[in-house]
Amino acid sequence: MSNSNLLVVKEKVQRFSKQLFEKIELTDNGALSIPYESTHVFVEVYEHELDEESREFRKSNDLSSIFVLVWAMVLTELKGSMELFKWVATVNFDVVRFKLVEREDRLYNLVCEYHLAGEALDAGELKSALAAVAIISNDEDDKLKSQFGGKTAEDYRK
């Protein structure tokens, strides 16, 4: 895919996001940053690096190689525990997934995310993903904090 396709998708993402949220900022790396109640949502647009065979397969089947990642940092500075690992491995919210990201200090960050194909992206699809990540992260962060510890985005804003 060309760099122009990436720019087109980034413009669509920004335009569609502004239809749902009033306050949107651009980060240094070009992602969108959206505060939402006690959480914070980010939107990144990227092109998946492919080998030649995969690139040809995607091209011949009209498949996107540009993706949109909608994610929220649900909790940071979590201590690893069997209960936390089990929760992440077994929780099912259907439309979003939770994952743990290990930090250099041997603590974890809990992330809620949703991936979308970029080139055929429409407003309803992106806004649904944004709403799902924002609402579920906001609803779950305080419950999970009381269960596992850590800090929410709101803790950092205070």
Side-chain angles (χ1 to χ4, degrees):
M1 289 296 136
S2 71
N3 200 14
S4 65
N5 287 357
L6 191 63
L7 294 174
V8 167
V9 174
K10 284 184 176 189
E11 186 279 324
K12 282 195 324 188
V13 164
Q14 199 166 27
R15 185 168 26 95
F16 296 159
S17 298
K18 286 179 179 177
Q19 294 173 4
L20 193 60
F21 295 103
E22 289 180 24
K23 184 175 182 183
I24 296 175
E25 298 171 352
L26 201 57
T27 67
D28 291 342
N29 68 352
L32 299 182
S33 171
I34 306 165
Y36 178 77
E37 296 189 21
S38 66
T39 194
H40 205 97
V41 178
F42 296 90
V43 185
E44 298 177 21
V45 178
Y46 64 94
E47 187 166 10
H48 188 65
E49 296 296 321
L50 302 169
D51 60 34
E52 186 61 34
E53 184 179 334
S54 297
R55 207 173 12 261
E56 285 303 314
F57 177 81
R58 286 189 173 279
K59 185 177 179 181
S60 66
N61 289 288
D62 199 26
L63 300 172
S64 183
S65 63
I66 297 176
F67 296 92
V68 179
L69 171 61
V70 179
W71 65 278
M73 185 70 70
V74 180
L75 292 172
T76 63
E77 300 181 29
L78 289 163
K79 293 181 181 172
S81 69
M82 291 310 293
E83 293 81 22
L84 175 62
F85 299 145
K86 181 179 178 182
W87 185 90
V88 171
T90 60
V91 70
N92 182 2
F93 281 91
D94 294 328
V95 296
V96 299
R97 81 173 184 136
F98 284 86
K99 74 176 186 180
L100 287 171
V101 178
E102 189 171 12
R103 300 161 32 130
E104 290 181 14
D105 58 6
R106 295 194 172 262
L107 297 174
Y108 293 87
N109 293 334
L110 180 64
V111 174
C112 175
E113 64 182 18
Y114 193 126
H115 288 262
L116 300 158
E119 284 144 323
L121 184 69
D122 65 44
E125 184 179 31
L126 178 65
K127 291 192 289 188
S128 293
L130 283 165
V133 169
I135 291 167
I136 291 170
S137 296
N138 182 61
D139 287 349
E140 295 300 315
D141 60 0
D142 291 324
K143 294 178 213 172
L144 294 169
K145 180 180 176 180
S146 68
Q147 187 173 357
F148 300 116
K151 294 182 180 178
T152 66
E154 188 172 46
D155 292 334
Y156 285 101
R157 288 188 205 122
K158 291 180 180 178

